[in-house]
Amino acid sequence: MTSASPTRTDVRQQAEAHLRALVGPRDGQGEAVLREDQWSAIEALAVDRRRALVVQRTGWGKSAVYFVATLLLREQGAGPTVIVSPLLALMRNQIAAAERAGIRAVTINSTNIEDWDPIQESVRAGEVDVLLVSPERLNNPGFRDEVLPRLAATCGLLVVDEAHCISDWGHDFRPDYRRIRTLLGELPDGIPVLATTATANERVTSDVAEQLGRDVLVLRGSLDRESLRLGVVRLKTAEQRLAWLADHLAEQPGSGIVYTLTVAATQEIADYLRSRGHDVAAYSGQTDPTERQALEQDLAAGRVKALVATSALGMGFDATLGFVVNMGAPNSPVAYYQQVGRAGRGTDEAVVVLLPAPEDRDIWAYFASLAFPREELVRQTLAVLADAGKPLSTATLETYVELTRNRLETMLKVLDVDGAVRRVRGGWESTGQPWSYDEERYRRVSEAREREQRAMLDYIATDRCRMEFLRAQLDDPGAGPCGRCDNCGGLDLPATVSEAAVEEAGARLSRPGVVLEPRKMWPTALANLGIDWKGKISEGAEPGRVVARLTDLGHGQALRDLFRAETPDGPVPVPLVRAVVTVLEDWRPRVDGIVVVESATRPTLVSDLADGLSRYLRVPLLGRFAIVDPDVAPGQGAMNSAQRVAAVGRRYDLAAEVPDGARVLLVDDRVVTGWTLTVAARALRQAGAGAVLPLALASDS
């Protein structure tokens, strides 16, 4: 700066003028002014050009820090601010807020691919003040090789939002965020960096600060949320919990979110609440992006009472929500704190209710099973890439490595950051660099996750202040009784539900029957496994039925119990027999005979199911999709589609007499991937069946 440069007092006055433009007029509250910690962060970024980590509660004003710093830096001639943000909804709200302050903000993410080129041209022309990118963009080959180096060299400020994702210890670790460490190392001297989060304990804070590097200013404030009134309602059955929600949803203030643990539950609960007259909609990662944006706007504007959502819903900072209800507990107090933080922003009071369920732990166990793969699978992947000597797509790698698509992608991203593989156009290639399996780190992370789950159970059972409990889990030194939660006497939540509501919820949950959509396309690259099936499945099954998904609220619990490893084989339990009959009454399939998928683990169950169906439908058993190679283990290859198709092809063969043109009911106990039924349907169609209609007790999803 020259001698005529403004003083720090001048800069603060300028910063507060920008703040007022950003937040607009405040009715009856006087002009907006910066908090001391906000000014400390802005001063570090825009005056001292330092790196800062801000750990502050939701609604504290972290976004104001980077927007005000952006305006100050741009006035000094700095390049655009680059914000790495994982939440598309938050991006949209950030852009709207930026525009109010005269900030030209744009985003590059998976939903606006057609706009990338003009956006990048605008950035190069200096017409953009803020560029928001999703973490996944950081390792897109074109963006990483062509756009990112230029941004690193010319940006005026780098912001990492939701910075706990950088840390292995964060509750929401994302491999793509590890790419930020490389970006930080490539920044020229004097480029300030801001990392922000509302959910970091001391361990995560230290880890992130260490990754930010030299001379980091850490600003950690109170994580109390003064507007939130926390409570837990413990009810024994799914019917009671659903009835409670239907009875008491209208009593909750304003609009809000009903969080669930699974995608299936969003639809199931939303459908039921609509039948009870509530204006709600389902929302998940499977919701179409255009529909998601419309639903977010409806919620923020109060046009719906609630969105029934998975954790895919992350509302932005200017959404004013009056409540959050969790139907089922997240797997850690820190994740729970983040979800409930969606309420109480811009309102004096908000109600937060947790309705825990026994099946929560089953769902936690499922997600825990998706942890980093065993070393032999990692080594196998590295060997395949090294032997190929060329880039391989994820779909091709699936034919060599028994991992699901998501786990394989996640593993490859970690290996990419570790330098062992590289993402290029056309897939992934080996770098030839040595790589070590950090078993100790993975074990410590797994143990930390188990501790978090135990702490979540402790939160549900505690008789101490709930906000104090959550703040203590985040190592907030000022944690103390809030005076607002149910345990402090500040919230009185009724635990009663009407008998009529319980009966109605029970009737809804006990009504079995989920459509089983057939597979439409063969996995790619099956030729690598010596199988010549490809493209569209022309000899496939018709839409079938299962009694319920294992994750469903109604029959899901009985089916989870039935398929536990320790449950002995036996005939179909009577309640499930009744459920199968109800499914058939609703479905009314017209069939000429039955073929059963043979089972090595539950032979009595499947044979009893097939015999009972034969008697009830008065059609003959035509034969079996029989096990011909018992050396292929049950479920082998189930981690990905190509491996599973190959395993099913080796394990089974059709042993049945099928009349030409017959409509065949194909019976199985449990659908995990759907490929056993798909391969069986193909065999039946080639044997002369005119149609194949699958029926099973349960599906995994």
Side-chain angles (χ1 to χ4, degrees):
M1 292 185 182
T2 67
S3 58
S5 296
T7 66
R8 290 176 188 264
T9 301
D10 293 335
V11 175
R12 180 163 186 168
Q13 290 173 350
Q14 199 174 356
E16 291 190 331
H18 289 317
L19 176 69
R20 288 189 281 275
L22 183 67
V23 302
R26 307 193 312 161
D27 295 340
Q29 299 182 52
E31 290 191 329
V33 294
L34 291 166
R35 298 185 179 94
E36 285 305 313
D37 274 1
Q38 286 177 314
W39 165 243
S40 295
I42 293 168
E43 182 182 35
L45 299 169
V47 179
D48 301 325
R49 305 295 180 98
R50 293 177 61 188
R51 297 184 174 186
L53 169 58
V54 174
V55 182
Q56 297 282 2
R57 66 184 184 274
T58 302
W60 174 86
K62 296 183 288 293
S63 57
V65 169
Y66 51 73
F67 281 141
V68 170
T70 293
L71 287 165
L72 294 173
L73 288 164
R74 292 290 278 167
E75 288 168 353
Q76 298 167 24
T81 290
V82 176
I83 302 176
V84 181
S85 176
L87 302 173
L88 296 182
L90 185 55
M91 283 187 187
R92 289 190 282 270
N93 284 334
Q94 286 168 324
I95 289 173
E99 290 173 348
R100 290 197 296 270
I103 298 172
R104 298 165 296 179
V106 295
T107 177
I108 290 178
N109 61 65
S110 58
T111 68
N112 67 342
I113 296 173
E114 67 282 357
D115 297 331
W116 288 3
D117 288 342
I119 287 172
Q120 291 168 18
E121 184 57 41
S122 295
V123 172
R124 282 192 290 270
E127 299 169 353
V128 170
D129 298 314
V130 171
L131 174 65
L132 294 106
V133 298
S134 59
E136 290 75 18
R137 288 303 97 214
L138 299 179
N139 204 28
N140 172 274
F143 188 86
R144 179 197 63 211
D145 297 336
E146 299 164 18
V147 180
L148 198 56
R150 189 165 53 249
L151 284 176
T154 62
C155 78
L157 170 66
L158 174 65
V159 178
V160 183
D161 202 10
E162 306 292 343
H164 58 271
C165 299
I166 295 177
S167 174
D168 288 339
W169 306 104
H171 70 276
D172 192 23
F173 168 67
R174 291 167 68 153
D176 290 296
Y177 261 76
R178 294 183 69 185
R179 177 63 50 188
I180 293 170
R181 289 191 289 192
T182 304
L183 177 58
L184 290 169
E186 295 171 351
L187 287 177
D189 290 340
I191 302 297
V193 177
L194 172 66
T196 67
T197 179
T199 50
N201 57 22
E202 285 289 353
R203 175 176 238 166
V204 173
T205 299
S206 299
D207 190 15
V208 174
E210 182 179 346
Q211 293 185 46
L212 288 177
R214 59 196 179 279
D215 191 29
V216 179
L217 172 67
V218 178
L219 295 169
R220 184 180 172 89
S222 168
L223 298 180
D224 189 18
R225 292 292 311 281
E226 296 177 359
S227 61
L228 297 186
R229 305 167 70 197
L230 304 173
V232 175
V233 178
R234 303 178 72 174
L235 298 169
K236 292 182 178 180
T237 68
E239 291 87 348
Q240 290 174 328
R241 291 188 291 276
L242 201 55
W244 188 96
L245 187 59
D247 276 355
H248 299 290
L249 183 62
E251 301 166 6
Q252 307 311 313
S255 296
I257 302 172
V258 176
Y259 276 117
T260 72
L261 298 183
T262 67
V263 173
T266 64
Q267 294 287 351
E268 191 172 13
I269 294 172
D271 287 346
Y272 171 69
L273 291 176
R274 282 194 294 266
S275 76
R276 290 288 307 274
H278 295 288
D279 188 3
V280 301
Y283 182 112
S284 73
Q286 295 182 11
T287 306
D288 179 83
T290 302
E291 185 182 354
R292 286 173 71 167
Q293 187 170 352
L295 290 172
E296 291 159 13
Q297 292 170 349
D298 286 345
L299 179 60
R303 290 190 289 267
V304 293
K305 181 64 177 178
L307 293 185
V308 184
T310 63
S311 59
L313 176 59
M315 293 300 295
F317 52 82
D318 60 355
T320 301
L321 301 180
F323 67 91
V324 164
V325 177
N326 281 76
M327 292 287 282
N331 63 357
S332 82
V334 181
Y336 183 60
Y337 176 87
Q338 186 179 53
Q339 288 189 3
V340 302
R342 303 301 171 203
R345 306 163 85 164
T347 183
D348 292 336
E349 283 192 358
V351 175
V352 172
V353 184
L354 173 60
L355 294 160
E359 60 265 24
D360 294 347
R361 276 170 272 193
D362 291 331
I363 297 171
W364 298 347
Y366 167 74
F367 287 118
S369 72
L370 305 181
F372 197 73
R374 303 187 311 277
E375 182 173 5
E376 58 265 32
L377 291 170
V378 184
R379 297 288 179 199
Q380 183 182 358
T381 305
L382 292 172
V384 169
L385 287 171
D387 293 343
K390 63 179 182 179
L392 297 179
S393 68
T394 308
T396 299
L397 280 169
E398 280 186 318
T399 64
Y400 297 106
V401 183
E402 191 175 336
L403 288 171
T404 63
R405 176 71 59 90
N406 286 341
R407 289 188 77 196
L408 183 57
E409 283 275 7
T410 299
M411 181 187 74
L412 288 165
K413 289 174 182 177
V414 172
L415 293 175
D416 188 347
V417 175
D418 288 346
V421 306
R422 177 176 169 83
R423 188 174 183 179
V424 296
R425 286 185 171 88
W428 304 86
E429 66 180 11
S430 171
T431 64
Q433 297 296 315
W435 180 84
S436 60
Y437 187 87
D438 195 345
E439 184 174 358
E440 175 65 17
R441 185 182 78 179
Y442 302 135
R443 182 187 60 78
R444 293 198 316 268
V445 171
S446 177
E447 290 173 352
R449 298 290 180 266
E450 291 175 3
R451 288 194 297 272
E452 290 170 351
Q453 292 180 10
R454 290 195 296 271
M456 194 66 222
L457 297 175
D458 291 342
Y459 172 83
I460 292 167
T462 189
D463 58 2
R464 62 186 273 207
C465 171
R466 297 196 188 277
M467 181 58 75
E468 180 183 19
F469 186 101
L470 294 179
R471 291 173 67 187
Q473 287 293 311
L474 285 157
D475 299 323
D476 186 347
C482 69
R484 304 180 303 271
C485 70
D486 56 352
N487 286 340
C488 287
L491 177 64
D492 183 18
L493 288 172
T496 57
V497 288
S498 65
E499 290 186 12
V502 173
E503 287 182 10
E504 192 169 343
R508 173 60 64 102
L509 293 176
S510 65
R511 194 70 186 176
V514 175
V515 175
L516 183 64
E517 294 292 345
R519 291 278 190 173
K520 303 291 187 183
M521 301 289 291
W522 292 112
T524 55
L526 280 175
N528 291 338
L529 298 170
I531 302 171
D532 62 1
W533 304 339
K534 61 183 178 180
K536 186 177 181 180
I537 299 174
S538 58
E539 296 174 312
E542 303 295 316
R545 295 291 187 276
V546 296
V547 170
R549 309 175 191 90
L550 290 179
T551 55
D552 283 349
L553 299 176
H555 291 282
Q557 184 62 55
L559 289 166
R560 286 191 294 273
D561 292 340
L562 177 65
F563 288 108
R564 292 187 196 282
E566 61 270 21
T567 302
D569 183 29
V572 181
V574 171
L576 287 175
V577 171
R578 298 193 189 104
V580 171
V581 170
T582 301
V583 170
L584 293 171
E585 289 173 346
D586 290 343
W587 185 21
R588 297 186 181 278
R590 183 175 60 81
V591 295
D592 303 306
I594 294 172
V595 169
V596 61
V597 177
E598 195 170 28
S599 172
T601 56
R602 299 191 182 277
T604 303
L605 181 71
V606 294
S607 62
D608 181 65
L609 177 61
D611 289 342
L613 287 166
S614 175
R615 293 191 299 272
Y616 180 79
L617 295 173
R618 298 180 182 179
V619 295
L621 285 170
L622 302 176
R624 300 165 294 140
F625 192 50
I627 297 171
V628 294
D629 186 353
D631 291 337
V632 180
Q636 183 171 319
M639 289 299 101
N640 71 57
S641 293
Q643 295 278 346
R644 184 57 182 159
V645 168
V648 171
R650 296 193 305 273
R651 178 174 169 80
Y652 292 97
D653 198 7
L654 184 64
E657 294 292 330
V658 182
D660 191 43
R663 295 174 60 84
V664 176
L665 187 70
L666 178 61
V667 176
D668 202 354
D669 57 348
R670 175 178 173 182
V671 181
V672 179
T673 66
W675 286 116
T676 300
L677 294 176
T678 302
V679 175
R682 180 183 184 275
L684 284 165
R685 293 290 302 277
Q686 290 198 325
V692 179
L693 293 81
L695 173 65
L697 294 175
S699 66
D700 280 25
S701 62

